[in-house]
Amino acid sequence: PTSDSFLSASSLSVTLTGPAAGPHMSIDKLFPALLECFGIILCGYIAGRGDIITESQAKGLGNFVSKFALPALLFKNMVLLDFRNVIWAFLWSVLVAKVTVFVLVCVLTLMVASPDNRYSKAGLYAIFATQSNDFALGYPIVDALYRSTYPEYLQYIYLVAPVSLMLLNPIGFALCEVQRWRQASHPQHSSLGILGVVVLQVLKNPIVFMVIVGIISHFALGQQIPAVLSEFIDGLANSFGGAALFYLGLTMVGQLRKLTRDTGVALILLITAKLLIMPLVCKDMVDILDTGVNSTSANHTSLSNFAFLYGVFPTAPSVAIYAGHYNMELEVVTSGMVISTFLSAPIMYVSAWLLTIPLMDPTPLVTELENVSFNISIVSLIALVWTIAVMLLSRKFNKLPHLFALNLFLAQFLVCVSMILWNFLVKQEDNLLGKILTFTLLYGSLYSTYIWTGNLSNNKIIQPFSTHRVPFLMVGGLLISGERSDTIDSAFFYGRAQVGTIPANLSSCLWWLFNKDPGRLYLELQFFCAVANYGQGFLSFGIFGLDRHLIILPFKKRLLSLWQGRDIDDLSPSGVPEEVRLTCTQFVRYHKDQCVQDIVHTRRYEYLFTCICSDLVDWLVERGLSAGRAEAQLYGARLQRGGVLTGQHSFKDEPNFLYHFTQPRREEEPDKELII
């Protein structure tokens, strides 16, 4: 490999073809599509995380996306849908796959869950495993891959999505209603009542409603939208893509905080069912059921691959709305939605790349594997340099467990450097010494990362030198006793001896013990191993690279300063906006004394009074100063910004946040403004 940018392996310019057919996917467009989608999601997350868009504003955007933009998009595509190009065997295959996974998750949950909540868990978990984010995230990916090869595949998104909404979700809703009925001390609904509630919920869903209206209009309007409505519908439909992805990022803010250790096992099983079992079942069902005319054509293989990619689409955010509606399993569903969304990106990329290769020629595939490892190492190295700098500047490295973390970062740093060096040395046949030294540094550092990860989890005091020494002693023993091999996979520089003494993962080692040449499954495992081994810096950066006090808070302060054109610490009457100053003045003159008398619980010093945030929100709503809790939170934020309230956090409507009313000190002038 040359010194190309880190996108070189992601932007393969060649489109791979089948034995006697045209191209299957435009793989070179996949990475830009993933970057576009997840870049917009990240922007939405940043906007929500930094309080640039409040929770109430995010709900407004969500209502627009789900009740206006998406129904318009569905109506448009249902009217224009060309049923003549639909391969119905594919739709039946996806339907059977979804039903299979739904029943499997539902039955297993009913068997192992406690009687107190087994029905709600079965219903919501089964919906989680089968309802995909088809429109916001799935459609752009399919459009990038198949627009120039199989454009008719785009319409399958609109045909497959209603399967969950009209067939499977009602079953999940019925189970949740049964759980609610069993928990109620005075049941309000009979079995017939539960059925009526479920049917009403399905019919009220704007997606289901507009799919039905669109299909009726398809035949009534002759597969054409009237010109008088075309521009209006296009305007709403075209606004869906970016707004939906941005809203998806907003919904992810704070969701992982709800994850607890007790829900971890359920979450892992659900994500496995959604991202691994579902795509495999979808692909197998197409292979089994699509036995007509397409069975002997390249289109059959392409449909099978498309079914696999469709199964990898992450869970839709609407599942979290269902959990919130029933107030059941909210922690698992919301956390799972966030994790599955970000895990789906690398799985889609690797799977799409491998699915474009119908003929196995190991040599170029291993070369591309080395390129991917090289590219990941470059980006991971940049992330690790940042993370190590943050650790040193924060001065936490001399305390446990940060000392272990710093040694882990250093080992990961050496892994990335070694992989970059190996990429250049592997082509030099006459530089054996350089290869051996780089091999020693690469695998010694890689095994050190495993040991330091264990130390970090156990939090036991171990000498750093000993922890680094053991892996290098293992590699040294291999160099002395082993024989160099010319295997096609450079990861196993010492062949079977390396497999027997130092297993790089168990699956790869077992493969090389029983097979001489790499196969497709082996290469797919190696792609994931490359991401896991050489991309450790991403995880370290995400956990330790964004220190709250060193990075996030100063950045947020500076951002607000630039946004408002002033220093955030300047809270003088001339330094705050007019609406903030008026709100504070009105509250201090007419409401503050009564508020302090009603809700203050603790008095710290003679000029500081402590209250609970949620109590202040309740008081503002009860007194009519705010129309609702969202508006009351904005009111409280203005009081904090104007200096009437102080606290360690931004004003939030939460019962565990404490804030203080401030009073002028006795020695200060009576008419002086309140201070922080």
Side-chain angles (χ1 to χ4, degrees):
T2 60
S3 56
D4 295 334
S5 67
F6 74 95
L7 298 181
S8 58
S10 306
S11 331
L12 298 175
S13 58
V14 61
T15 303
L16 300 165
T17 60
H24 290 171
M25 299 180 190
S26 299
I27 191 66
D28 57 319
K29 298 180 180 178
L30 176 59
F31 187 84
L34 289 173
L35 185 62
E36 173 192 357
C37 293
F38 285 89
I40 298 176
I41 292 173
L42 181 61
C43 290
Y45 180 83
I46 293 174
R49 181 71 173 169
D51 290 333
I52 299 175
I53 295 181
T54 63
E55 184 178 355
S56 59
Q57 293 170 338
K59 290 181 179 178
L61 179 61
N63 289 333
F64 168 77
V65 168
S66 61
K67 296 180 181 179
F68 292 92
L70 180 56
L73 181 67
L74 289 171
F75 176 81
K76 172 185 174 181
N77 285 275
M78 287 295 105
V79 173
L80 302 179
L81 187 65
D82 188 1
F83 287 100
R84 294 172 297 179
N85 293 330
V86 175
I87 301 176
W88 295 103
F90 174 81
L91 295 179
W92 283 112
S93 301
V94 175
L95 172 62
V96 172
K98 286 199 170 190
V99 170
T100 301
V101 175
F102 187 95
V103 172
L104 179 65
V105 173
C106 189
V107 171
L108 289 178
T109 305
L110 288 174
M111 291 174 58
V112 302
S114 63
D116 297 336
N117 54 10
R118 64 171 54 163
Y119 292 103
S120 62
K121 283 187 175 181
L124 290 173
Y125 288 177
I127 293 175
F128 180 97
T130 54
Q131 184 169 343
S132 302
N133 193 350
D134 297 326
F135 303 111
L137 193 56
Y139 187 88
I141 304 301
V142 176
D143 182 70
L145 288 173
Y146 294 102
R147 171 67 70 178
S148 59
T149 55
Y150 292 98
E152 65 272 15
Y153 286 5
L154 296 172
Q155 63 187 358
Y156 289 128
I157 297 292
Y158 301 99
L159 292 174
V160 172
V163 170
S164 294
L165 298 172
M166 292 189 290
L167 178 63
L168 299 180
N169 284 12
I171 300 176
F173 295 153
L175 290 172
C176 292
E177 290 292 339
V178 168
Q179 186 70 58
R180 178 184 288 180
W181 176 73
R182 290 169 63 92
Q183 291 178 345
S185 56
H186 301 285
Q188 299 178 352
H189 299 291
S190 61
S191 299
L192 185 62
I194 293 176
L195 179 62
V197 171
V198 172
V199 172
L200 182 62
Q201 284 188 353
V202 174
L203 294 178
K204 286 171 59 179
N205 191 315
I207 297 177
V208 175
F209 179 76
M210 290 309 296
V211 167
I212 297 174
V213 173
I215 293 176
I216 295 174
S217 302
H218 171 88
F219 298 100
L221 300 176
Q223 201 177 345
Q224 186 176 2
I225 300 177
V228 68
L229 294 177
S230 179
E231 295 295 331
F232 166 71
I233 294 176
D234 284 345
L236 283 177
N238 294 338
S239 66
F240 172 77
L245 292 172
F246 192 86
Y247 174 69
L248 178 58
L250 288 171
T251 60
M252 293 182 175
V253 176
Q255 300 299 346
L256 292 180
R257 300 177 190 168
K258 302 174 182 178
L259 183 62
T260 62
R261 183 175 299 179
D262 297 335
T263 59
V265 175
L267 186 58
I268 293 173
L269 295 177
L270 279 179
I271 293 176
T272 301
K274 181 66 191 77
L275 298 183
L276 295 180
I277 297 179
M278 173 63 80
L280 292 174
V281 175
C282 286
K283 180 177 173 61
D284 291 341
M285 287 298 106
V286 172
D287 291 335
I288 294 172
L289 298 180
D290 186 25
T291 57
V293 178
N294 296 303
S295 60
T296 58
S297 67
N299 197 31
H300 173 79
T301 302
S302 183
L303 274 178
S304 178
N305 294 343
F306 174 50
F308 183 90
L309 289 175
Y310 176 82
V312 181
F313 294 162
T315 302
S318 55
V319 182
I321 298 177
Y322 304 151
H325 174 75
Y326 290 104
N327 195 25
M328 300 174 181
E329 308 306 319
L330 191 61
E331 297 82 3
V332 176
V333 171
T334 53
S335 302
M337 183 267 295
V338 176
I339 296 174
S340 66
T341 298
F342 284 102
L343 281 181
S344 65
I347 295 177
M348 278 191 287
Y349 168 66
V350 174
S351 300
W353 194 91
L354 292 174
L355 289 172
T356 58
I357 307 174
L359 298 176
M360 292 304 299
D361 187 1
T363 303
L365 294 183
V366 173
T367 301
E368 292 302 330
L369 175 60
E370 293 175 352
N371 289 341
V372 170
S373 302
F374 173 72
N375 297 331
I376 292 176
S377 298
I378 292 178
V379 184
S380 184
L381 182 66
I382 297 173
L384 284 169
V385 170
W386 173 281
T387 306
I388 293 173
V390 169
M391 181 65 71
L392 295 176
L393 291 174
S394 63
R395 302 181 183 277
K396 296 179 179 178
F397 59 90
N398 55 351
K399 301 178 181 178
L400 292 178
H402 298 285
L403 176 62
F404 291 166
L406 181 60
N407 281 275
L408 174 62
F409 302 156
L410 293 175
Q412 293 170 348
F413 178 85
L414 292 176
V415 168
C416 295
V417 172
S418 304
M419 186 62 224
I420 295 172
L421 292 176
W422 181 265
N423 184 77
F424 294 103
L425 293 173
V426 73
K427 300 296 184 182
Q428 302 177 9
E429 297 181 359
D430 57 344
N431 194 354
L432 178 60
L433 179 60
K435 289 183 180 180
I436 293 177
L437 293 177
T438 306
F439 174 86
T440 303
L441 182 62
L442 173 59
Y443 281 90
S445 303
L446 185 60
Y447 301 140
S448 292
T449 63
Y450 303 157
I451 297 177
W452 278 114
T453 302
N455 292 344
L456 192 61
S457 62
N458 293 328
N459 200 21
K460 293 182 179 179
I461 300 178
I462 300 178
Q463 291 295 329
F465 180 74
S466 299
T467 305
H468 286 297
R469 180 177 57 187
V470 172
F472 284 95
L473 289 176
M474 295 171 63
V475 177
L478 175 63
L479 294 175
I480 296 173
S481 60
E483 295 183 0
R484 196 164 47 84
S485 172
D486 293 328
T487 175
I488 195 171
D489 189 351
S490 62
F492 292 96
F493 190 60
Y494 276 79
R496 291 178 177 269
Q498 182 180 346
V499 172
T501 56
I502 310 177
N505 79 42
L506 180 61
S507 301
S508 302
C509 296
L510 290 176
W511 185 284
W512 279 109
L513 286 174
F514 298 103
N515 297 275
K516 295 182 179 180
D517 297 321
R520 175 176 295 186
L521 177 60
Y522 170 82
L523 289 169
E524 186 163 1
L525 289 172
Q526 285 301 98
F527 267 91
F528 284 107
C529 288
V531 174
N533 286 330
Y534 308 121
Q536 295 182 56
F538 295 111
L539 184 61
S540 299
F541 173 81
I543 298 177
F544 297 95
L546 298 176
D547 185 87
R548 176 178 177 83
H549 299 286
L550 189 66
I551 304 295
I552 295 180
L553 292 180
F555 176 79
K556 181 178 178 181
K557 179 179 177 180
R558 183 60 179 168
L559 181 63
L560 291 175
S561 174
L562 295 175
W563 184 276
Q564 298 160 2
R566 64 178 181 84
D567 188 351
I568 194 65
D569 288 331
D570 183 10
L571 294 176
S572 62
S574 61
V576 296
E578 181 66 17
E579 64 272 14
V580 174
R581 189 180 66 82
L582 291 176
T583 298
C584 293
T585 301
Q586 180 192 48
F587 181 81
V588 170
R589 289 182 179 177
Y590 304 109
H591 307 290
K592 179 178 174 295
D593 292 339
Q594 187 63 43
C595 181
V596 170
Q597 182 178 348
D598 291 342
I599 68 171
V600 164
H601 301 282
T602 305
R603 176 170 176 167
R604 297 181 59 196
Y605 314 112
E606 58 185 87
Y607 58 89
L608 201 60
F609 301 89
T610 303
C611 71
I612 300 175
C613 175
S614 57
D615 291 346
L616 178 57
V617 171
D618 293 337
W619 191 89
L620 292 171
V621 174
E622 292 173 359
R623 292 286 174 165
L625 297 179
S626 302
R629 302 193 70 85
E631 186 176 330
Q633 180 169 311
L634 293 177
Y635 194 107
R638 289 183 178 181
L639 295 180
Q640 184 182 21
R641 189 173 174 188
V644 178
L645 286 177
T646 63
Q648 296 181 351
H649 308 278
S650 299
F651 191 85
K652 298 283 187 181
D653 183 11
E654 296 185 10
N656 55 343
F657 278 21
L658 297 179
Y659 297 87
H660 312 293
F661 287 109
T662 54
Q663 296 272 32
R665 299 177 185 267
R666 289 183 176 179
E667 61 270 17
E668 294 177 342
E669 295 80 8
D671 58 345
K672 191 171 182 178
E673 290 287 343
L674 294 176
I675 62 172
I676 289 186

